[in-house]
Amino acid sequence: MLMSELSRRTGVGVPTLKFYLREGLLPPGEALSQTRAAYDESHVRRVGIIRALTETVGLSVQQARGVLAVVDDPGPSMFDAFGRALAHLPPTVPEADDYPRARDVIERLGWVYDPRYVAVRQLDQALAAADALGVPLDADRLEAYAPHVHAIAAYDIARIPADPDAAIEYAVLGTAAHEPVLAALRRLAHQDVAAPR
Amino acid sequence: MLMSELSRRTGVGVPTLKFYLREGLLPPGEALSQTRAAYDESHVRRVGIIRALTETVGLSVQQARGVLAVVDDPGPSMFDAFGRALAHLPPTVPEADDYPRARDVIERLGWVYDPRYVAVRQLDQALAAADALGVPLDADRLEAYAPHVHAIAAYDIARIPADPDAAIEYAVLGTAAHEPVLAALRRLAHQDVAAPR
């Protein structure tokens, strides 16, 4: 299909599609002439993913490009690829030499972890922020949360596609998309628990 | 204490403190003269909360002001106040006439809910985003998550302070601060589940 048709199919204007091409978010179509190219269903799908990442997940174009670069070329290690992709998702957390608060929690829980994994520093910063806000999470509370979070995670992992390329895309997009669902569900569960019966 | 001392105690520069005063985030001190005012421990604490909301939670000054306005004056209904405050926290979701997808999920779960509560539209949008990203959450999956999310929420509610003013502050700041902790924990649990033993 031509770009005009891609625009019609995706509901995204031609100038925006050209911007995605220029920024490397959308792979080029098959050149038909100097000024025209043919796009296919993979482009339709890609535009949907770009829109969802930038509009709904709220990523910048640069962050979305980072995520999509890993999805497009995950490399040999699924584990590393997932960590690299997650580093582009919010929250953005600066690197530090050590994350003692997070390490302490994870080790207390007895979970296997890679200390370089971006979630370690996210946990460290999130715990510090909770302290700063005067709503600290003590060890008892984290230990009460842990089995429930772990059960949810086990359910997630069991549903990851077996194909490695599909798996990394699923894991990255699922992380971006499912965290807001779980956050909204927890807010609703608060209401259910607190509601007068 | 004078503003210079408030600056020293909080590590926040005087120009920024003056900005917070101007924007109504920080209540004025007690006037000592035309140009000097006295600040107290409540101001130190408030500056810490403003920093945590804007820097760590990532709220805009306008959003932080909205949250703090509710915390300062929650009004008679804790339930309404919580909803109003949460409307300032991310994700920002436009209002619609109806949220059929979210309603369907919540009703299937049998949870008590107020259809005007902001979390309803957050859930609706988050589910739509997951679909758009090609990682939809089906009813089985949401039902698998629900008891775990509910158990976490019940733990949270049991720890809310009894005093109503303290409760609304705790609930709002806790929602802002604890969601990133839970998201990081889930990412780490994914790693624990997926790690080769």
Side-chain angles (χ1 to χ4, degrees):
Chain A
M1 71 192 83
L2 298 175
M3 186 176 278
S4 54
E5 170 74 1
L6 181 62
S7 172
R8 202 188 57 73
R9 285 279 304 281
T10 58
V12 174
V14 168
T16 302
L17 293 176
K18 288 185 172 169
F19 172 71
Y20 292 160
L21 284 167
R22 241 180 4 253
E23 292 291 322
L25 293 168
L26 185 65
E30 196 183 338
L32 298 174
S33 73
Q34 286 273 24
T35 55
R36 303 203 313 168
Y39 301 91
D40 59 26
E41 291 305 316
S42 75
H43 292 90
V44 174
R45 181 152 181 282
R46 180 71 161 220
V47 171
I49 291 175
I50 296 168
R51 293 307 265 188
L53 286 175
T54 54
E55 300 205 336
T56 316
V57 183
L59 300 192
S60 68
V61 164
Q62 196 178 355
Q63 289 172 318
R65 184 168 44 209
V67 168
L68 291 170
V70 180
V71 168
D72 290 342
D73 185 13
S77 163
M78 166 85 183
F79 186 85
D80 280 355
F82 188 56
R84 278 185 288 126
L86 283 201
H88 295 285
L89 298 185
T92 305
V93 181
E95 274 190 75
D97 286 339
D98 193 15
Y99 309 99
R101 203 188 294 249
R103 277 201 294 105
D104 188 57
V105 169
I106 307 164
E107 278 162 22
R108 190 189 295 262
L109 296 175
W111 290 358
V112 175
Y113 76 109
D114 175 347
R116 298 159 308 163
Y117 179 36
V118 67
V120 176
R121 74 175 103 132
Q122 288 167 343
L123 179 61
D124 205 73
Q125 168 154 322
L127 291 169
D131 286 0
L133 281 167
V135 287
L137 288 157
D138 59 26
D140 281 356
R141 186 151 179 170
L142 291 164
E143 281 174 22
Y145 285 164
H148 296 294
V149 173
H150 203 272
I152 288 169
Y155 190 97
D156 296 333
I157 296 291
R159 266 140 205 88
I160 285 194
D163 171 65
D165 283 355
I168 182 72
E169 178 174 319
Y170 186 90
V172 171
L173 299 181
T175 297
H178 299 165
E179 287 176 3
V181 171
L182 282 162
L185 268 187
R186 176 162 163 268
R187 292 181 183 190
L188 287 160
H190 285 146
Q191 184 165 80
D192 180 66
V193 174
R197 301 281 165 176
Chain B
M1 72 192 84
L2 297 177
M3 186 176 278
S4 54
E5 169 74 1
L6 181 61
S7 172
R8 201 188 57 74
R9 284 279 304 280
T10 58
V12 173
V14 168
T16 303
L17 293 176
K18 287 185 173 168
F19 172 72
Y20 293 161
L21 283 168
R22 239 177 10 247
E23 292 291 322
L25 293 168
L26 185 64
E30 197 184 338
L32 299 174
S33 73
Q34 285 272 25
T35 55
R36 303 202 314 168
Y39 301 91
D40 60 26
E41 290 305 316
S42 74
H43 292 90
V44 174
R45 182 154 180 279
R46 180 70 161 222
V47 171
I49 291 175
I50 295 167
R51 295 306 266 185
L53 285 175
T54 55
E55 298 206 336
T56 316
V57 181
L59 300 192
S60 67
V61 164
Q62 197 178 354
Q63 289 172 318
R65 183 167 47 207
V67 168
L68 291 171
V70 180
V71 168
D72 290 341
D73 184 14
S77 163
M78 165 85 181
F79 186 86
D80 280 356
F82 188 55
R84 277 185 288 126
L86 283 201
H88 295 284
L89 298 185
T92 304
V93 180
E95 274 189 75
D97 286 340
D98 193 14
Y99 309 99
R101 202 189 295 248
R103 277 201 294 106
D104 188 57
V105 169
I106 307 164
E107 278 163 21
R108 190 188 295 262
L109 296 175
W111 291 357
V112 176
Y113 76 108
D114 175 346
R116 298 159 307 165
Y117 180 36
V118 67
V120 176
R121 74 175 103 132
Q122 288 167 344
L123 178 61
D124 205 73
Q125 169 155 321
L127 291 169
D131 286 359
L133 281 167
V135 286
L137 288 157
D138 59 25
D140 281 356
R141 184 150 181 173
L142 291 163
E143 281 174 22
Y145 286 164
H148 296 292
V149 173
H150 203 272
I152 287 169
Y155 190 97
D156 296 333
I157 296 290
R159 265 137 205 92
I160 286 195
D163 171 65
D165 283 355
I168 181 72
E169 178 175 318
Y170 187 89
V172 171
L173 299 181
T175 297
H178 298 165
E179 286 176 2
V181 171
L182 282 162
L185 268 187
R186 176 162 164 268
R187 293 181 184 190
L188 287 159
H190 285 147
Q191 185 165 78
D192 181 66
V193 173
R197 301 282 164 176

